Amino acid sequence: MNRINQKLQEDKKILSIYFSAGYPNLNDTVQIIQDLEKSGIDMIEIGLPFSDPLADGPTIQASSTQALHNGMTTQVLFDQLKDIRKTVSIPLVIMGYFNPMLQYGVENFCQKCAEIGIDGLIIPDLPVDVYADEYKATFEKYGLKNIFLITPQTSDERIHFIDGVSDGFIYMVSSASVTGSQSGFGSVQEDYFKRIAAMNLKNPQVIGFGINNKETFNQATQFAKGAIIGSAFITHLTENGTAKIAEFVKAIR
């Protein structure tokens, strides 16, 4: 069974952390992953930096830009992660945009992910219809889960379609804004969380965007299986480097 599915079956709320590979420094990637697992994180989203990150707010954009300046590329990331499964056992997901994967070759990219032990991909700009028609078979061949995003604006019909195509979790974007641009959840977002929960989808939901502390983590996980923290963790890395990762995690949990 894929590690993502195993983790989702555990009787606990999932805390996932996102960071940009190659940030703050090019070779910090593996240490950050190892330290996050030791700190009790359930799943990690490794950001593959891209020059035109549409869904990312200024904090993640800045870290992505710095990572590219540091020399991060698709191949460098794969080289860094080649032995990651000797030390890390939790689910690892690569989150990136489709262009670098297309340039690398989709099949080659998926094959490399499988060799390394990557469990899934999040590709915000790959439409679910295109995935279902052209790439689903390749992802499944290499045992990779493709995670799709939904927003408050996504229609019920499309959510059901995404749910049918998926076999992992659904990344539930808390609002229509970019990452890192909000603080706390109001009644509109809570209504959205409740609406999705009431749909009884076959895939569990994990909420991202706007989770930055214990309060927002608890608020989100009232209605979903887990929550993802990105911008707040990158801000922590900016201020502290790779030190104090355990303190950051402890403050959420």
Side-chain angles (χ1 to χ4, degrees), residues 149-156 159 172-177 182 188-189 191-193 195-196 208:
L149 283 67
I150 63 170
T151 74
Q153 283 68 43
T154 309
S155 70
D156 286 6
I159 290 169
M172 200 169 146
V173 176
S174 65
S175 72
S177 59
Q182 63 182 64
V188 172
Q189 282 148 327
D191 288 346
Y192 161 58
F193 297 162
R195 175 171 73 87
I196 302 302

Side-chain angles (χ1 to χ4, degrees), residues 77-117:
L77 178 59
F78 284 151
D79 290 343
Q80 288 181 350
L81 296 178
K82 68 181 190 299
D83 294 321
I84 196 69
R85 285 302 174 195
K86 291 179 179 175
T87 56
V88 172
S89 61
I90 61 173
L92 299 175
V93 176
I94 289 180
M95 183 169 185
Y97 292 86
F98 195 49
N99 191 284
M101 298 176 195
L102 212 49
Q103 287 182 344
Y104 198 86
V106 176
E107 176 129 15
N108 290 339
F109 191 94
C110 290
Q111 184 175 3
K112 202 71 186 166
C113 285
E115 286 170 11
I116 289 165

